[in-house]
Amino acid sequence: MPQLGESVAEATIIRLKAQVGEAVTGDQEIIEVETNKAVTGITTPCDGVIAEFTAEVRETYENGTILGYLEVSAEDAERLAESASQAPAEVPALQAHKNVSPAISTIKVPIIMPQLGESVAEATIIRLVAQVGETVTSDQEIIEVETNKAVMGVTTPCDGVIAEFTAEVNQTYPNGAILGYITASAEDAERLGVSASQVRAKVPATLETHKNVPPAMPTITIPMMPAKSGGPFVSPRVRSKADQLGWQQQDLSLVPGTGKNGRVTANDVERYLADLEQHPSQKATGLRLAISDAMRRSWSRPLCTIGVAFSLEPILTHRKQFTVPPGPALYVAKAIAVALAENPKLAARIVGDQLVLPKSIDIGVAVEVDEGVVVPVLKSLDKQPLSELGEKYQQLVTAARARRLPEDAKEGAIASVTNYGPLGITWGTPIPQPTETLIVGLGRGEKRPIWDDATSQFKPKQMADLTVTFDHRVIDGGASGKLISRLVAILENPESL
Amino acid sequence: MSITYLEAIREAQAKALRENPNVYIYGQDVGMYGGAFKATKNLAKEFPGRVLDSPISEDAMVGSVIGASLEGMRPIVEMQFADFSANAFNQIVNQAGAYFYRSGVPLPITIRLPNGGNPGAGPFHSQSLESLYAHFPGLIIMTPATVEDAYNFLLEAIALDDPVVFCEHKFLYNRVKAERLPEEVSFSAGKALCRRAGKDLTVVSYSATLYDSLAAASELEKEGIDIEVIDLRTVKPLDTETILQSVARTGHLLSVSEGWPWGGVNAEVVARVASKGFHLLDSPPERLNCRDTPIPFHPDLWLAHRPSTASIVKKVRQMLEW
């Protein structure tokens, strides 16, 4: 873009009059521009072929801006180079042959924190001696810094104008840090090793590289294995020893630990085993192991027990009408079946975020057998008539004692009854099986003095205690109270069964 | 009458030269001078024309013996210091290590590396290079700690058809002694040994750290801690079975090496135990190396830089408190 008249500083491109690739002659008008004074044309400096237009139509450019490039002969280029040295502003196009980036007429040279003495790694800025915009000469002191040894000056690398200070007073910078920039001539920049490509991004190459490093990922706190404190950690060796012994976590929990924070070490297990060996032991039966496993799993829940006394007399009278009279435990079982059929949610199991409801009202009745307990299941008990239960139950008990329970009576109860009355026990807190959410306990019947308001005296009455033990995650206190009241209401009015 | 580790190395070479006309020694000043550490003292006189001085080019030395071995010779090449074998790295790992796999032709060369640190030897005369060479396939890496092993292993190295990097520890040269040389030569490369039985923790060591580990064991014994000390003897092949057997007894592993911590023999020992013996471990497997910096010059710094009796004792205590 030439100077297009006195006091004209810029011009706007109206039209490109030649095409890229077009052969042109010297002084041919190739670009039409408009200044604040007139429309005029820009001409070629010599013969050649249009290589490129860097200027765009309707954009405004300052005098001296490169608008495009011509491919010209070596002679023309040389001739123009000579005149360029006399009047550089007039032939900017030539710079293209020198591979200097066109947008830059001057180059910013970084001001670098020098090594200010042996074993000095950094220095603190005390004062900026020169101002931004000030013309400076080479080796002029522009920044005063203090090292751990002395106060010293940072000098300019070449002639130029202070473009910018990036360093701040009172801040400390390591050797090699960029403290600011000087606008300098291309020659000086080249001598100092600052190339145009580096300057284009306005930061030296090292900083540019640094910029390309992806930002640090957010720090995540990873739960660490307790390296310093063993605590509940089970080492692979202890784990594999436990596996070998067929131990569960519960078994390991019983071993006194001497490691960090009570961790059970491999040696602790060995000591524990050595102690066990001092005692007589025998292989547990399959039934005992099954019960043990069921109780271990059951005990993983928060269980709660409530109890109430009720009168056995209505049942004892009612059962007499049947050929095979059902025992009190069967009355209780039937009562649970009725109550749960009314409100099956009470028998739901909670697994993860799911409430698993019973598919049918199957109630277990615990039976004592040799060295253990089995719980035969009465399927869909809510739908079975009480009159048939006596005989049916007797068959199941016989089968249970012979360990010959039919498949459908073996498991899957949603609740069960345990009658510990025959053992002389009045009250207990039995544990529901893992498939069950609740279990009802029936205590020994006995005559108790009950206050009779009508006669204002105690009267003997055949009573028993009823307990409900339930998974407190599923059943709240209020619901359990309603349930046990409902059971008592049914049992004291057995006609409804 | 006693014999040193260094003399055992010289005697093994003399025996090999005596018994096999294809054996010769090549290295800088190994001839009339007898070698930088006198490992070839008098051998040039006793075996004229078979103990040859080389130019100061480790690259050329190894390249030359590779050629000779292909012509049927069984050369021994001596590096003045293990550190300088870096100059022959290409010949050792790319040529010697790969040769048999590429051609089916065996390459029976023995490269003797005066390995490991000595007080005041500084960064270029103290390094342990066994881990570096063990990384490459095709090389056998021996790291004897005793007079007997130095003698037997060197003869085995010469007899083997594979290229062997024989790492002899400079600190042990004149400090380790035995009553006499073994009367019968036995070959057992690739087999680790339990040098001290114990029940509380396994320390895996080799070369000079065997002695630090045994000293630590004596120290710990006073506290009622009974550690087992394994001597790897050859780091490649690595005797995983013996290590696992020991960890099966003790449940704890500490691997000790004079080499640097990044990768290497210790890392390999720990990795193998962690993967094949996970169920045996009662605490995290640990290792003790020299520090991850060049080896310092000052004898006190050198001592603080490498694993020591004190640092092993400290580490064992920490591990058993876990």
Side-chain angles (χ1 to χ4, degrees):
Chain A
M1 176 72 79
Q3 175 90 25
L4 292 164
E6 265 184 52
S7 75
V8 174
E10 56 184 26
T12 305
I13 310 289
I14 297 176
R15 192 160 65 92
L16 301 175
K17 297 178 74 175
Q19 308 299 319
V20 171
E22 189 178 322
V24 291
T25 55
D27 285 327
Q28 180 180 332
E29 191 174 299
I30 52 169
I31 306 175
E32 196 171 79
V33 296
E34 183 175 26
T35 70
N36 53 1
K37 294 190 173 172
V39 171
T40 181
I42 294 177
T43 56
T44 51
C46 58
D47 293 356
V49 174
I50 308 278
E52 184 188 4
F53 284 113
T54 53
E56 288 177 33
V57 173
R58 280 191 292 281
E59 291 295 322
T60 303
Y61 298 92
E62 285 180 16
N63 299 348
T65 307
I66 292 170
L67 304 177
Y69 294 92
L70 279 181
E71 280 182 14
V72 301
S73 69
E75 291 85 339
D76 276 340
E78 201 174 326
R79 180 174 56 77
L80 289 164
E82 280 170 21
S83 59
S85 64
Q86 292 151 15
E90 282 180 25
V91 271
L94 267 189
Q95 288 183 1
H97 295 279
K98 291 184 180 172
N99 291 329
V100 175
S101 177
I104 293 149
S105 47
T106 53
I107 290 176
K108 280 187 183 176
V109 172
I111 306 161
I112 287 168
M113 177 70 85
Q115 172 90 27
L116 293 163
E118 257 183 79
S119 75
V120 173
E122 59 181 27
T124 305
I125 311 288
I126 298 176
R127 191 163 66 89
L128 301 174
V129 181
Q131 308 300 317
V132 172
E134 188 176 327
T135 302
V136 292
T137 54
S138 183
D139 286 326
Q140 180 179 334
E141 184 175 318
I142 51 171
I143 307 175
E144 197 171 74
V145 297
E146 185 174 27
T147 69
N148 52 2
K149 294 190 173 171
V151 172
M152 302 173 92
V154 174
T155 57
T156 48
C158 58
D159 293 355
V161 174
I162 307 275
E164 181 187 3
F165 284 116
T166 54
E168 287 172 26
V169 172
N170 290 330
Q171 294 295 313
T172 303
Y173 297 90
N175 301 346
I178 291 174
L179 306 176
Y181 294 93
I182 290 178
T183 309
S185 68
E187 291 77 36
D188 276 339
E190 200 175 333
R191 181 175 56 77
L192 291 165
V194 181
S195 77
S197 63
Q198 277 178 301
V199 178
R200 195 172 295 149
K202 294 187 180 170
V203 282
T206 49
L207 273 190
E208 207 169 6
T209 311
H210 189 68
K211 270 189 177 171
N212 289 335
V213 174
M217 298 298 287
T219 311
I220 298 165
T221 309
I222 300 165
M224 293 288 285
M225 193 176 74
K228 289 262 166 60
S229 54
F233 181 77
V234 178
S235 76
R237 191 186 182 93
V238 170
R239 176 81 272 155
S240 65
K241 183 73 185 176
D243 287 347
Q244 192 190 340
L245 294 164
W247 283 11
Q248 300 283 352
Q249 182 67 47
Q250 274 80 356
D251 298 310
L252 267 181
S253 305
L254 294 173
V255 179
T258 61
K260 267 269 164 69
N261 289 0
R263 179 180 81 90
V264 174
T265 67
N267 279 340
D268 293 333
V269 175
E270 296 301 334
R271 268 192 292 275
Y272 185 72
L273 287 174
D275 180 61
L276 292 182
E277 271 175 23
Q278 304 294 310
H279 300 75
S281 68
Q282 64 186 56
K283 178 84 180 133
T285 61
L287 176 63
R288 176 54 48 205
L289 292 175
I291 293 169
S292 163
D293 184 55
M295 287 301 99
R296 175 184 65 78
R297 288 183 285 134
S298 287
W299 197 244
S300 62
R301 298 170 296 179
L303 298 175
C304 177
T305 301
I306 55 169
V308 69
F310 75 106
S311 171
L312 275 175
E313 285 167 5
I315 295 176
L316 296 176
T317 314
H318 189 262
R319 67 193 291 262
K320 284 174 185 158
Q321 63 181 289
F322 302 111
T323 351
V324 185
L330 283 178
Y331 274 87
V332 174
K334 181 69 182 169
I336 300 164
V338 170
L340 292 180
E342 290 165 2
N343 188 3
K345 271 194 181 173
L346 292 172
R349 283 176 287 164
I350 192 155
V351 181
D353 63 351
Q354 296 293 307
L355 213 51
V356 180
L357 296 167
K359 61 179 192 291
S360 57
I361 308 297
D362 305 334
I363 307 296
V365 181
V367 174
E368 182 138 358
V369 299
D370 288 343
E371 294 183 16
V373 175
V374 284
V375 187
V377 180
L378 296 158
K379 291 277 171 184
S380 302
L381 183 56
D382 57 323
K383 293 179 182 124
Q384 295 195 35
L386 190 59
S387 55
E388 292 169 16
L389 280 184
E391 196 179 345
K392 199 162 195 172
Y393 181 65
Q394 269 190 358
Q395 285 167 4
L396 281 178
V397 169
T398 311
R401 294 211 162 117
R403 304 279 177 78
R404 288 278 185 272
L405 275 178
E407 275 310 308
D408 68 342
K410 268 185 178 163
E411 56 187 9
I414 61 160
S416 56
V417 178
T418 175
N419 179 13
Y420 36 73
L423 307 173
I425 299 164
T426 56
W427 216 88
T429 61
I431 298 167
Q433 298 183 92
T435 55
E436 303 170 348
T437 284
L438 59 97
I439 184 169
V440 179
L442 178 61
R444 187 185 62 177
E446 58 189 1
K447 283 242 160 39
R448 292 182 195 169
I450 302 295
W451 185 255
D452 182 47
D453 280 329
T455 56
S456 286
Q457 58 184 10
F458 283 103
K459 280 195 170 167
K461 213 171 184 181
Q462 190 73 12
M463 301 291 287
D465 284 323
L466 194 68
T467 62
V468 177
T469 300
F470 54 92
D471 182 346
H472 215 334
R473 297 175 306 164
V474 181
I475 304 175
D476 301 320
S480 69
K482 280 179 198 154
L483 173 64
I484 204 164
S485 302
R486 178 71 184 125
L487 292 179
V488 169
I490 295 170
L491 293 171
E492 293 189 340
N493 301 282
E495 303 76 29
S496 63
L497 294 172
Chain B
M1 180 63 196
S2 71
I3 183 159
T4 65
Y5 182 93
L6 179 66
E7 284 162 350
I9 289 167
R10 186 163 62 231
E11 289 306 317
Q13 291 178 107
K15 183 175 164 67
L17 286 164
R18 206 173 296 126
E19 292 176 356
N20 188 337
N22 291 331
V23 172
Y24 74 98
I25 300 174
Y26 195 45
Q28 295 159 27
D29 285 330
V30 294
M32 293 318 291
Y33 186 69
F37 291 96
K38 301 295 170 199
T40 55
K41 189 177 168 188
N42 295 334
L43 294 183
K45 209 177 291 175
E46 193 181 339
F47 303 97
R50 296 174 64 196
V51 183
L52 307 171
D53 285 333
S54 72
I56 306 181
S57 168
E58 289 76 11
D59 191 16
M61 281 154 59
V62 179
S64 146
V65 301
I66 286 172
S69 76
L70 295 178
E71 293 296 322
M73 303 301 281
R74 304 191 87 85
I76 303 165
V77 62
E78 180 189 290
M79 297 288 159
Q80 281 203 333
F81 287 84
D83 315 59
F84 306 158
S85 72
N87 292 325
F89 194 61
N90 172 57
Q91 291 292 351
I92 297 172
V93 306
N94 289 334
Q95 302 302 332
Y99 200 86
F100 179 75
Y101 295 93
R102 292 165 63 214
S103 65
V105 178
L107 204 75
I109 64 171
T110 299
I111 304 166
R112 286 182 38 235
L113 302 188
N115 204 45
N118 244 336
F124 304 127
H125 299 80
S126 303
Q127 297 173 89
S128 299
L129 273 72
E130 67 280 357
S131 292
L132 189 70
Y133 292 118
H135 186 69
F136 288 83
L139 300 169
I140 289 173
I141 318 297
M142 296 178 171
T143 50
T146 66
V147 170
E148 189 184 35
D149 280 354
Y151 184 74
N152 281 331
F153 280 1
L154 187 48
L155 287 166
E156 187 170 358
I158 296 162
L160 278 168
D161 278 345
D162 292 304
V164 177
V165 177
F166 187 85
C167 300
E168 46 195 60
H169 203 292
K170 296 189 288 291
F171 188 77
L172 304 183
Y173 272 159
N174 295 308
R175 289 180 175 88
V176 173
K177 289 171 190 157
E179 278 299 304
R180 64 184 70 82
L181 287 175
E183 280 167 18
E184 291 212 358
V185 176
S186 66
F187 289 172
S188 59
K191 182 81 194 111
L193 281 179
C194 178
R195 296 285 189 188
R196 183 192 191 278
K199 60 177 176 45
D200 292 331
L201 183 144
T202 297
V203 173
V204 170
S205 65
Y206 61 95
S207 196
T209 58
L210 170 65
Y211 298 97
D212 301 297
S213 304
L214 289 171
S218 304
E219 195 72 23
L220 289 160
E221 195 174 0
K222 296 174 197 160
E223 304 170 20
I225 297 172
D226 186 16
I227 65 173
E228 183 149 312
V229 179
I230 302 295
D231 176 8
L232 291 179
R233 301 164 84 227
T234 38
V235 300
K236 194 174 187 178
L238 181 64
D239 186 357
T240 315
E241 190 55 32
T242 297
I243 300 169
L244 288 173
Q245 290 292 332
S246 175
V247 177
R249 285 190 287 274
T250 65
H252 304 270
L253 169 73
L254 172 62
S255 190
V256 184
S257 162
E258 199 180 308
W260 281 298
W262 212 104
V265 176
N266 274 352
E268 187 62 29
V269 169
V270 168
R272 289 191 188 198
V273 170
S275 96
K276 294 215 172 7
F278 188 64
H279 60 294
L280 304 174
L281 290 166
D282 196 32
S283 67
E286 295 279 4
R287 56 201 174 122
L288 206 54
N289 290 78
C290 75
R291 285 160 200 263
D292 197 9
T293 61
I295 294 154
F297 199 93
H298 193 282
D300 290 350
L301 289 177
W302 173 74
L303 265 178
H305 184 266
R306 71 188 292 283
S308 62
T309 302
S311 64
I312 295 169
V313 164
K314 191 177 164 197
K315 193 79 181 174
V316 169
R317 281 198 204 113
Q318 276 173 2
M319 286 177 68
L320 290 177
E321 277 167 15
W322 195 81

